[in-house]
Structure formats: C-alpha cells, structure tokens
Amino acid sequence: MGLMALKVDMEQAYDCMAWDTLSRVMEAMGFSSHFIHWVTECITLPWLAFLLNGNRSQWINARSGLRQGCPLSPYLFILCSELLIKALWQHGERLGVQIVANGKRVSHLLYNDDILIFAEAKPDNARRIQHILTDYCGWTGQKVNHNNLAIMFSKRFPHWKGRQIARQIGFNAVSSIEYLGIPLVMRKLIKADFSNLVAKASTKRKTETGGGLHYVPWSELCKPADQGGLGFHASSVWQGPLRDRLALNFIRQPNILMHRILIGKYGTNPWKVWPGHNISVSWRVINDGVMALQPIVRWSIGDGSGIDVLGDIWIMDRRLDQWPTFEDLAHLENNKVSFLLNDSREWNEDLVLRHFGDPMTAQILAIPCGQTGTKDSPELI
C-alpha cells in the first residue's frame, strides 16, 4: 500500500474569508447572538486606503476578509477552518494514514493557511480531497494557490502511478515538501536537508557595516530586563518542568491526537520503559517527565489499577515506602491499589487490616474510592 501527502497553500487566506460564513459557523458552534453581533461589528465593512508614492488612494469599502495583525483574527480564522476539518473527518474511514497499528488515523495537519493532507495513494482519494478543497473554497471564499500545490508519495509507490495521480488533480509531484520551514522527506533527514535554514541564518549575521545579528552570551539574555537581559528562560533549567507538564497532560488528556497515537503503540502506562532503541522521542520525553513527576503528584483513586501501593503517593503526601512505620510492607511490593479493593471498587476492610494494621487502616478507609468506570487521576501536591 502506498501513501501520499498533499501540501495545499491558500492565496491571501485572511483577505478572502467570507463574513457570512464566519457568522454561520459561530452560530452552529453555539455562540450567543450577542457575541456574534459584537464580533461581526469588529470585522465587517471596514474602509481602506493605500499610500502609493506618498499619495493616498480613494477610500475602498472591503467586502470580505479578516485584518492581519488584529489579535482577534487568528481565532476567527481557526473557527472557519473547522469547516475543512469537519469535511476531512467525515471521510475519515477513507482518508488518513495509520501511524501505528492500533492508533488513530491522521488525515491532516493544519497551521494557519498551510495544510497537509494524508491518505492512501489512490486516484479516488486524490479526487475526494480535491472535491473537499473545492467545497471549502466555495463555503469560505478561499482560493487555492495552484502554483504551490505539491504531492509526495511513499518510497515504494511506483513513480508512474504517482505522476498519473498528480496530473489528474493538478498537483506537482515532488520528492520532498517543506512545511513550516522544515523539510519533510521519505527518508532519514541528513545535514544537507537543512542547508536552506543555515543559509537564511547566515545572511543575518553581523556584517562589517554593523548590520545583522550580534552575538550575546545566553546567560546574559536570560537575566531579567532590569539587569540588562531579555528575561528568556534557560532551557537547561526548564527542561525538567516542561517534560513534567507534558507527562501530566498525557495522563490527564488521553484524547489528544498525539496521545492517542502514542497509546496505540505504547499503551496507557507512561512509566513503562520499552526495551530496544527504536523508541519514539515523544515517548522518551514522557518517560522522563513521569519519573520526575512521581514524587510531586497525589493520586485520586478510581479503579486503583494504575497506582502502585508503595511507590506512588495516595495517602497524605508521601509514598508508603518512605513512611516511618512499624508494619512490614515489603509483601505489598509491585502491587496496585486495586488489590485492596473488592469487586464493587470499595475498600476490602479485612484485607486492608491484614496488611496495614489498625492505625493505618483507619486512615486508608477514610480515602474515597471511584465509582464503576472512573479512572485514577493525578493531582499536583
């Protein structure tokens, strides 16, 4: 099976967005009529003029578009882009590629007006995508930039079939696609793939006339503004907390696209370290994050299946293997809290008393347990 990626660029995306479409989208999403009225009053019927060689043109009454530079415009553009997203999702069984065997199919990536669409390399899929784009342009007033349409196929897909599909839908068949400044190719990236980025950076270096970039030690830039710096955060200091946050989001928000893909391959337990070297960088980052996260989260008990009796915090603010206690808890090592619950997901009082004794049993029985269907959830201490 061959795969294809289509890159679509819109002409003057902000300038062409239809106001009527925006109003209908907001109404369909449940925004109140008052709010929709306020938004439309901010963006509709502006008067424009141009300075040409120092002379101002006549006033022009605009009929569509969102003002670039307005803080509101990106949000409104995203709302209208939901039309394209919904259209692609409606064809989710036919479009998209499956990154892992049990993971979610990915049909598109969307950043502002830069669109990437993925599908199996079939003429029917290519035509279906073309029809979706045509409908989207009809709904919103957007126009496809036909000079920048590109399509790329997987390495083993026959070149003649790829050229045939590209010709049918009017796309340029290419071996690489640049998306958000980063090259996308059907192989491992090498140093030469970033030559354009290096060249652009080189043109901004300091020149003999004083222009260009001026190099300053990173430690100086990270100082507060009142000390002569720019207040940047040092990545070496913030790497740990940022990875902790990613790990916490993975646990709390399993329905995010990236999380669903990772869960399809690695499962829902981010503490599990997979053997081998061919492990996703994203999973390694989450692994690092949860290891640092473990001492600073307390678990609310749902079914207890994800909470280690001794290694996680679920009683007060300390792990049981760090408690000063006269009870010998070594026999509970590697057990989950679910071991201490009955079939109704309530505490098994006799079992808790047998393993913890009277003082700790009273403390444990006072902890609420989740109802059927609830899951364990971590909260920052």
Side-chain angles (χ1 to χ4, degrees), residues 1-2 24 27 66 73 77 79 83 96 110 113 120 132 157 185 190 201 203 223 231 237 242 264 282 314 346 372 378:
M1 178 189 69
R24 293 186 180 188
E27 183 179 351
L66 306 173
S73 294
F77 187 87
L79 290 180
L83 290 171
L110 181 64
D113 57 344
E120 294 181 19
I132 290 173
F157 191 71
V185 295
I190 59 177
T203 59
K223 290 182 179 179
V237 175
L242 289 174
S282 299
W314 55 281
E346 297 175 345
T372 303

Side-chain angles (χ1 to χ4, degrees), residues 22 25-26 29 31 74-83:
L22 174 61
V25 168
M26 295 178 69
M29 288 184 172
F31 288 92
Y75 299 99
L76 301 180
F77 187 87
I78 291 172
L79 290 180
C80 292
S81 299
E82 282 290 315
L83 290 171

Side-chain angles (χ1 to χ4, degrees), residues 244 247-248 251-252 271 289-300 307 311-319 377-381:
D244 293 354
L248 189 62
I251 297 169
R252 287 178 169 176
W271 280 272
V290 293
M291 295 305 176
L293 193 66
Q294 195 168 19
I296 60 172
V297 294
R298 178 172 51 244
W299 288 84
S300 296
I307 307 174
D312 289 325
I313 301 173
W314 55 281
I315 304 177
M316 299 183 67
D317 60 354
R318 188 181 300 182
R319 294 163 43 175
S377 61
E379 298 294 337
L380 291 175
I381 297 176

Side-chain angles (χ1 to χ4, degrees), residues 178-194:
E178 188 174 280
Y179 187 67
L180 305 181
I182 303 298
L184 303 179
V185 295
M186 293 295 180
R187 53 174 172 77
K188 187 177 181 179
L189 291 172
I190 59 177
K191 183 178 179 180
D193 293 322
F194 298 92

Side-chain angles (χ1 to χ4, degrees), residues 24 45 50 61 77 128 165 172-173 187 192 216 240-241 260-261 328 332 339 356 360 369:
R24 293 186 180 188
L45 303 178
F50 302 95
N61 188 7
F77 187 87
R128 189 172 291 111
I165 292 175
N172 300 314
R187 53 174 172 77
V216 179
R260 283 185 289 180
I261 293 173
D328 181 12
L332 289 172
F339 167 71
F356 291 94
M360 290 186 66
C369 300

Side-chain angles (χ1 to χ4, degrees), residues 140-160:
T140 61
Q142 299 285 285
K143 296 180 180 179
V144 172
N145 186 348
H146 293 279
N147 294 326
N148 292 338
L149 296 177
I151 184 170
M152 181 173 67
F153 298 91
S154 53
K155 290 192 298 184
R156 296 183 180 179
F157 191 71
H159 292 293
W160 67 270

